[in-house]
Amino acid sequence: MKIVDARVIVTCPGRNFVTLKLVTDDGLTGVGDATLNGRELAVASYLRDHVVPALIGRDASRIEDTWNYLYKGAYWRRGPVTMTAIAAVDTALWDIKGKAAGMPVYQLLGGRSREGVTVYGHANAETVEGVLAEVARYVDLGYKAVRVQAGVPGLATTYGVSGDKMFYEPADAAVPTEAVWSTERYLAHTPGVFAQVRDEFGPNLRLLHDVHHRLTPIEAGRLGKSLEPYALTWMEDPTPAELQDSLRLIRQHTTTPIAIGEIFSGIWDCQQLITEQLIDYIRATVVHAGGITHLRRIFDLAALYQVRSGSHGATDLSPVCMSAALHLDVAIPNFGLQEYMRHTAETDAVFPHGYHFADGYLHPSEEPGLGVDIDEDLAAAFPYRPAALPVNRLEDGTLHSW
Ligand code: CS2
Ligand code: MG
């Protein structure tokens, strides 16, 4: 089964997506998400100029060999662009493998370990009153877990709070927009938000919060301790994790569970976090952490240390990535939660897929392969649009994590 064609499709149905489509000599096709928010064209070029020429003629059934061919063969290993490109090839090959076997990919990963994939949605608003209304809306939609993000008094904008309540797209301008951030205001305000949410919704609704890399370890320890009375399922990205030792400091001060990993591109970014049990959920994804093959390795390592999955699932991860994620989510023994930010109708039209939401769960497609495709004619109607993620500056102008 030889690869005879490989197309890199860039489209922008409301936001930019990069998709790799492989075609074999017996007519099977496979798709892989290659979207890296704000750096899409870097991955598109990596694939078109450096990967696709080496793929034509290769045996599509050799997933593991192709993964190592692209990882070791690049010489320059790791990093988000390289690992997103490898992820796209890997995901497309698993799609083809499932179609060739006549089975949904989760069957090739060991079959079901659960009936459905528990997901969480994003309740966000400027005011606490608005947040309470949004949490109620997600509960009414059937969600069993809800992420809560609130505006901070005195700050014009903050991560995770948007005017559009269902479709949050932070990459809002060709050149990064600049927001003002105040850690002091945030730390003073956030515990009160969760006190009111927990008071309104009781002890059983699973609540999460995304700190989005903006605190130092000791500030994160303070936040985690202040949130303990509200029993969060997780505090996400509490501090930048390039220095994995940082998480020891947070662990010394709080029992609030920690989730990290959406910006990780491989097992080496989280090996210490997992083996020292410095985190409780690993948020690495199919699209950014080397595809199904590598993400399965990360989850298997995590299972040895009682760390569960909690994969990223924002709108900048396409329905191709979500489809692939669900096949892993439903099969692995240490599944935790799956993020599920819904895509717009335009995006869903470009990426017809078989997964569906019901009663707080996402259910993967039962079709052979991943159960997703890209409508290339429709995709062509949405040309690429330059879009960059914002940056934060402190009130004194110092550049800060967004
Ligand atoms: C966020 C993302 O969903 C999340 O947990 O961290 O919205 C993130 O900001 C975007 O994916 C960045 O492109
Ligand atoms: Mg996040």
Side-chain angles (χ1 to χ4, degrees):
M1 184 165 57
K2 301 291 185 196
I3 297 169
V4 294
D5 190 15
R7 299 192 285 271
V8 179
I9 303 144
V10 181
T11 183
C12 187
R15 63 140 295 110
N16 294 310
F17 293 106
V18 181
T19 307
L20 174 69
K21 186 160 197 171
L22 301 182
V23 184
T24 69
D25 54 2
D26 45 11
L28 291 180
T29 62
V31 286
D33 188 7
T35 306
L36 185 63
N37 202 0
R39 295 296 182 272
E40 293 87 356
L41 297 188
V43 181
S45 168
Y46 190 107
L47 285 166
R48 277 197 192 108
D49 301 325
H50 304 294
V51 170
V52 163
L55 286 182
I56 304 304
R58 281 190 64 84
D59 182 345
S61 68
R62 298 191 177 199
I63 299 178
E64 191 70 57
D65 182 63
T66 299
W67 197 97
N68 283 281
Y69 177 72
L70 296 176
Y71 180 77
K72 296 173 181 171
Y75 186 75
W76 313 102
R77 299 181 182 193
R78 304 163 66 188
V81 173
T82 296
M83 299 305 281
T84 299
I86 292 175
V89 176
D90 184 80
T91 304
L93 292 178
W94 275 103
D95 193 12
I96 289 168
K97 180 79 77 178
K99 290 174 179 176
M103 286 188 258
V105 167
Y106 74 77
Q107 293 291 8
L108 304 179
L109 299 173
R112 280 183 178 278
S113 297
R114 54 196 55 78
E115 299 318 308
V117 173
T118 307
V119 293
Y120 70 89
H122 284 199
N124 73 82
E126 272 305 323
T127 66
V128 179
E129 294 70 26
V131 164
L132 295 175
E134 282 298 295
V135 174
R137 190 159 68 88
Y138 275 92
V139 170
D140 291 346
L141 285 170
Y143 284 79
K144 303 176 188 312
V146 181
R147 190 187 85 166
V148 173
Q149 304 293 136
V152 176
L155 299 183
T157 62
T158 188
Y159 162 73
V161 178
S162 73
D164 188 327
K165 292 307 168 202
M166 282 307 269
F167 312 109
Y168 175 51
E169 181 42 70
D172 56 3
V175 173
T177 53
E178 300 208 353
V180 176
W181 171 251
S182 162
T183 295
E184 295 73 16
R185 295 173 188 270
Y186 168 75
L187 290 175
H189 181 64
T190 301
V193 172
F194 282 91
Q196 293 190 59
V197 173
R198 195 48 92 194
D199 183 56
E200 178 84 8
F201 293 95
N204 299 322
L205 179 62
R206 299 172 72 179
L207 298 177
L208 309 98
H209 180 63
D210 194 346
V211 185
H212 218 256
H213 324 277
R214 293 172 293 187
L215 300 181
T216 64
I218 201 64
E219 291 166 348
R222 173 183 156 192
L223 177 66
K225 188 179 289 187
S226 70
L227 292 174
E228 284 175 10
Y230 316 116
L232 270 63
T233 295
W234 79 44
M235 167 172 72
E236 179 181 330
D237 286 329
T239 195
E242 292 94 323
L243 179 64
Q244 296 183 45
D245 283 347
S246 298
L247 277 295
R248 289 198 187 116
L249 199 54
I250 303 175
R251 278 307 214 205
Q252 287 163 9
H253 292 278
T254 182
T255 58
T256 294
I258 296 171
I260 281 188
E262 69 181 52
I263 65 171
F264 290 171
S265 60
I267 201 163
W268 301 109
D269 292 336
C270 51
Q271 182 253 348
Q272 180 187 356
L273 297 176
I274 290 170
T275 57
E276 294 187 20
Q277 296 180 314
L278 298 177
I279 59 174
D280 303 282
Y281 297 87
I282 179 64
R283 287 191 32 83
T285 67
V286 168
V287 60
H288 297 132
I292 290 171
T293 298
H294 193 63
L295 187 58
R296 179 60 192 264
R297 294 213 153 84
I298 291 172
F299 289 160
D300 286 348
L301 175 67
L304 300 180
Y305 295 89
Q306 299 190 65
V307 174
R308 287 173 283 181
S309 74
S311 287
H312 188 204
T315 44
D316 46 289
L317 285 62
S318 87
V320 174
C321 177
M322 182 55 79
S323 298
L326 294 174
H327 285 279
L328 263 175
D329 288 340
V330 85
I332 57 172
N334 57 323
F335 168 76
L337 270 179
Q338 170 66 52
E339 179 177 10
Y340 177 41
M341 285 173 80
R342 293 171 186 239
H343 291 104
T344 63
E346 267 180 337
T347 296
D348 286 342
V350 170
F351 297 99
H353 55 268
Y355 63 79
H356 70 281
F357 175 84
D359 191 28
Y361 299 98
L362 271 180
H363 299 275
S365 165
E366 290 294 339
E367 296 165 42
L370 297 176
V372 63
D373 203 344
I374 181 168
D375 179 330
E376 294 184 67
D377 293 336
L378 188 55
F382 300 104
Y384 170 79
R385 186 176 64 214
L389 287 166
V391 297
N392 266 339
R393 287 190 184 276
L394 302 180
E395 289 164 306
D396 69 0
T398 303
L399 203 289
H400 193 76
S401 298
W402 165 70

